[in-house]
Amino acid sequence: MSAFARRLLVALGVFVLQWLILGRLRLWGAYPDAVLLFLAWYALREGRQRGTLTGFALGTLMDVVYGTWGIHMFVKTLVGFGVGSFAIDERAALRIRPLQAVLGSLAVALLHNGLLVVLLALQTEATSGFLIYGLWLGSAAYTAAVGYLSSLFMQ
């Protein structure tokens, strides 16, 4: 099996895991975003162009499932492009330590969820405090915790 086919299967597996399990494991309305963590890892590993295309594809899948039509696609494409700009040259040397995973996951999730909250608020004209405390900050912290746990298993 080629490396592309393996990564495609992993991406689809992460998407299904997010959709069926992690999206339902809510704590005070916040939920982790494993698709975002995979996208950030993939963009760091493969670069800006593949990160952007992967963000577009995964965001489109999320828009189809969650009915947000264009919001996830736009935000995940921007994240794939931005994180892919910091891609490493030696792909074999990409070993993420737990502290790096927490800080990186938190930074990427704060940026991603901040853009997501702004676009969702504009689309739905919502002015709820949950958008800031639950969806932006809470989900970013939850995503960072899942990033930490996943970094422990990838060592």
Side-chain angles (χ1 to χ4, degrees), residues 33-58:
D33 194 349
V35 173
L36 176 65
L37 294 174
F38 173 78
L39 174 62
W41 172 82
Y42 187 75
L44 271 177
R45 186 172 175 86
E46 298 295 329
R48 188 180 327 165
Q49 184 178 13
R50 288 188 182 177
T52 302
L53 292 173
T54 304
F56 178 81
L58 289 172

Side-chain angles (χ1 to χ4, degrees), residues 95-99 101-102 144-155:
R95 308 240 346 125
I96 300 174
R97 292 185 209 106
L99 182 60
V102 169
V146 169
Y148 173 76
L149 291 175
S150 64
S151 73
L152 293 177
F153 292 107
M154 295 182 75
Q155 297 259 342

Side-chain angles (χ1 to χ4, degrees), residues 129-154:
F130 168 75
L131 287 175
I132 293 178
Y133 298 114
L135 190 57
W136 184 34
L137 300 175
S139 292
Y142 202 173
T143 300
V146 169
Y148 173 76
L149 291 175
S150 64
S151 73
L152 293 177
F153 292 107
M154 295 182 75

Side-chain angles (χ1 to χ4, degrees), residues 1-149:
M1 181 182 298
S2 70
F4 174 75
R6 278 185 300 186
R7 295 235 171 82
L8 180 64
L9 287 175
V10 169
L12 290 174
V14 168
F15 172 75
V16 169
L17 176 75
Q18 173 69 39
W19 177 36
L20 295 178
I21 297 172
L22 293 176
R24 292 169 176 33
L25 292 177
R26 295 181 183 261
L27 293 175
W28 300 287
Y31 59 91
D33 194 349
V35 173
L36 176 65
L37 294 174
F38 173 78
L39 174 62
W41 172 82
Y42 187 75
L44 271 177
R45 186 172 175 86
E46 298 295 329
R48 188 180 327 165
Q49 184 178 13
R50 288 188 182 177
T52 302
L53 292 173
T54 304
F56 178 81
L58 289 172
T60 302
L61 278 174
M62 291 186 81
D63 281 336
V64 168
V65 169
Y66 295 120
T68 52
W69 299 112
I71 292 177
H72 279 96
M73 178 198 63
F74 178 69
V75 174
K76 293 223 184 314
T77 301
L78 286 177
V79 168
F81 179 82
V83 173
S85 298
F86 299 103
I88 61 168
D89 294 330
E90 290 185 38
R91 292 181 183 154
L94 184 60
R95 308 240 346 125
I96 300 174
R97 292 185 209 106
L99 182 60
Q100 291 172 328
V102 169
L103 295 177
S105 300
L106 186 62
V108 169
L110 282 172
L111 173 70
H112 173 269
N113 293 353
L115 288 170
L116 192 67
V117 162
V118 167
L119 293 174
L120 284 174
L122 289 173
Q123 181 188 29
T124 61
E125 298 178 5
T127 58
S128 171
F130 168 75
L131 287 175
I132 293 178
Y133 298 114
L135 190 57
W136 184 34
L137 300 175
S139 292
Y142 202 173
T143 300
V146 169
Y148 173 76
L149 291 175

